[in-house]
Amino acid sequence: MEKAKMSAYQLFTLILLFELGSTLVLPLASEAKQDAWLAILIAMAGGFCLFFMYYGLYHYYPDLPLTEYVQILLGSVLGKGLAFCYVLYFVYGAAAILRAFGEMLVTIAYPATPLFVINALFILVIVYMVYKGIEVISRTSEVLFVAMCLLLLSAFLLMMISGTIHLENVKPILEEGLSPVIKTAFTDSLYFPFGQIILFAMIFPYVKEREKVKRTGFLAIGMSGLILALVAAGNISVLGLDLASRAPFPFLASIQSIEVAGFLERLDIYFILFAMIGGFFKISIHFYAAVMGASHLFHVKHPSRLAYPMGMVVLLISMAIASSYTEYIQVWIKVESPYISPSFQVIIPILLLIIAFFKNRKKEV
C-alpha cells in the first residue's frame, strides 16, 4: 500500500465530487419522467445500504484494500482471480467515463478537435495526479470542492433570478404510480452513481480517523443524492418533461436558458467547468483504484511506476470501446447497467461480507 494518509473531510470531498461527477451533467433516472428526483432519492436510500455493506468489509479489514482482502477471504487462486477482475472493472470504468467526457467536450466545446487529442490531454493530467499519490488527489479535492459548491449555488441563483424555473413542470407527482419510480431507482440510479462507491474500498485504509469513515460516507452520499435530486427537478422545471428527457445534456440546456438583464446569458462555461471538475475526479478515482489494485496483485513496490503504462491502456480502451457516442450509450444500457454493475457492486460484495462474517466469527470464538 502507498504510505499516505488523508483526513475524514478529504474523504468527504472526494466522495461528493466523485458522486456528482458525470451524473451531474448526464441525464439521470430519465425513465421516471417528472418523478426522476424521487427515483434518485430512493436510489440514495439504496446507496446507504450498499455503503453500509462496503463499510462492513472495511470494518473487518481496516488496513487492507479490496484487492487484498478478497485473497484472504477466497484463498490465493480464487482471490487473485477476483482481484484481477476488479482491476479490469476499474480500468474499464476509467476508460468508459473518459470516452463519455471526451465525446461531451467535443460535442459542446471543441467540435474541430479530434476525440483522441481531448482524451489524451485529459488522461495525461490524471496520470500525473495519480503518479503523485492519494494525498495530492485528496488535497486537490478540497480546493475544487469549494469551486464546485460556488458554481452550483450561483447557477441555481441565476436560474431563479432569470425566472426560468416553473414548478408546475414537475407535476403531477407519481402520475403513473410508485412502481416505475422504484424500478428506475433500483435498475439504473442505484448503480450509477451510488453503487460506484465500491471504488472507495480501495481508499478507506488511507483515512486517518477511522471512526469517522462511516459517518463521513453517509453524509457525503446523502448530500450528493440531495444535490442530484435537486438538479433533476430543476432540469425538468426549466426545460419541461419532453425536452429534459430528450436532451443529451439536460443541465447544459438548463444553463443555456439563463438570461439576466439582457446581457448575462449563454453561460456554457458553467457546464464546461462542471464537466471538467466532475470528470477529472470520476476518472481519477477509477484510475487510482486500478493502479493500486494492479500493484497489489503483481507485487509492484512502487505503484506510481504503473501510472503511465496503465494510462496508455485506458486511453486506447476509451477509443476502442465504441465507434460512436450512440453505440457507447447502447453498450452501457444493454451490458454494463444490467450485468456488470450489479455483479461487482452488489452480488460479489454481499458474498464477501457473508464469508467475512463467518470467518471472523470463528476467530472470535
Side-chain angles (χ1 to χ4, degrees):
M1 257 179 63
E2 181 187 353
K3 293 181 180 179
K5 290 294 178 182
M6 59 190 295
S7 67
Y9 174 70
Q10 289 172 332
L11 176 66
F12 171 80
T13 58
L14 270 179
I15 292 177
L16 189 65
L17 290 173
F18 175 83
E19 288 288 275
L20 296 180
S22 53
T23 43
L24 190 63
V25 296
L26 295 172
L28 184 63
S30 56
E31 291 183 5
K33 299 181 179 178
Q34 69 266 27
D35 297 316
W37 61 274
L38 183 56
I40 293 170
L41 293 178
I42 294 172
M44 179 187 72
F48 287 141
C49 298
L50 292 181
F51 177 79
F52 189 76
M53 179 169 59
Y54 306 148
Y55 177 79
L57 289 166
Y58 165 71
H59 178 72
Y60 285 123
Y61 304 100
D63 298 315
L64 299 176
L66 171 65
T67 49
E68 288 197 17
Y69 61 66
V70 294
Q71 298 178 49
I72 296 174
L73 293 172
L74 300 178
S76 179
V77 177
L78 190 58
K80 285 182 178 179
L82 182 58
F84 182 69
C85 289
Y86 265 104
V87 171
L88 293 179
Y89 172 65
F90 299 152
V91 168
Y92 174 80
I97 297 167
L98 178 63
R99 175 61 180 264
F101 275 93
E103 293 275 9
M104 185 189 309
L105 291 173
V106 167
T107 301
I108 66 175
Y110 308 104
T113 306
L115 176 64
F116 181 82
V117 174
I118 296 289
N119 285 5
L121 292 174
F122 218 119
I123 197 65
L124 185 62
V125 177
I126 289 168
V127 164
Y128 179 74
M129 185 69 71
V130 171
Y131 178 83
K132 288 296 183 180
I134 192 63
E135 284 189 354
V136 174
I137 297 173
S138 58
R139 287 172 189 166
T140 305
S141 72
E142 286 185 278
V143 177
L144 294 182
F145 170 72
V146 176
M148 180 70 89
C149 289
L150 292 174
L151 285 169
L152 277 170
L153 286 172
S154 59
F156 278 113
L157 182 62
L158 288 171
M159 284 182 193
M160 292 173 65
I161 294 172
S162 64
T164 58
I165 295 178
H166 305 285
L167 294 179
E168 63 272 13
N169 287 335
V170 298
K171 297 176 182 179
I173 297 173
L174 297 177
E175 182 181 18
E176 298 179 8
L178 193 59
S179 179
V181 177
I182 293 176
K183 181 182 177 182
T184 301
F186 288 102
T187 59
D188 181 21
S189 307
L190 177 63
Y191 307 122
F192 177 78
F194 299 107
Q196 293 176 325
I197 291 290
I198 185 67
L199 279 96
F200 283 85
M202 301 293 295
I203 294 174
F204 290 150
Y206 298 115
V207 181
K208 290 181 291 187
E209 303 143 300
R210 291 178 177 175
E211 69 283 359
K212 294 183 180 180
V213 168
K214 181 165 68 172
R215 184 178 64 185
T216 301
F218 280 127
L219 184 61
I221 292 171
M223 185 172 290
S224 63
L226 291 174
I227 292 172
L228 290 172
L230 184 61
V231 169
N235 289 336
I236 295 171
S237 64
V238 171
L239 304 173
L241 178 60
D242 185 52
L243 181 56
S245 59
R246 288 188 292 107
F249 311 117
F251 195 41
L252 171 62
S254 297
I255 290 174
Q256 287 176 336
S257 69
I258 294 173
E259 183 178 350
V260 180
F263 72 93
L264 193 59
E265 57 184 351
R266 299 292 298 180
L267 300 177
D268 295 22
I269 185 63
Y270 267 79
F271 184 82
I272 294 172
L273 288 173
F274 283 130
M276 296 294 283
I277 295 173
F280 173 78
F281 280 101
K282 198 82 172 183
I283 301 167
S284 292
I285 298 300
H286 275 87
F287 186 60
Y288 181 81
V291 169
M292 295 308 297
S295 69
H296 301 152
L297 193 58
F298 299 109
H299 306 290
V300 178
K301 279 190 175 182
H302 303 285
S304 58
R305 293 178 179 174
L306 295 175
Y308 286 99
M310 288 186 70
M312 182 61 70
V313 171
V314 169
L315 175 61
L316 294 176
I317 293 176
S318 74
M319 298 303 299
I321 204 168
S323 59
S324 64
Y325 185 66
T326 303
E327 184 181 336
Y328 164 78
I329 294 297
Q330 289 303 311
V331 170
W332 172 270
I333 293 172
K334 294 181 179 179
V335 179
E336 182 159 350
S337 187
Y339 300 112
I340 297 177
S341 294
S343 299
F344 285 97
Q345 297 174 10
V346 182
I347 298 171
I348 294 173
I350 287 175
L351 296 175
L352 291 176
L353 187 60
I354 292 171
I355 296 170
F357 172 76
F358 284 106
K359 277 204 169 189
N360 286 274
R361 191 177 68 168
K362 288 180 181 178
K363 288 180 182 178
E364 290 174 1
V365 173

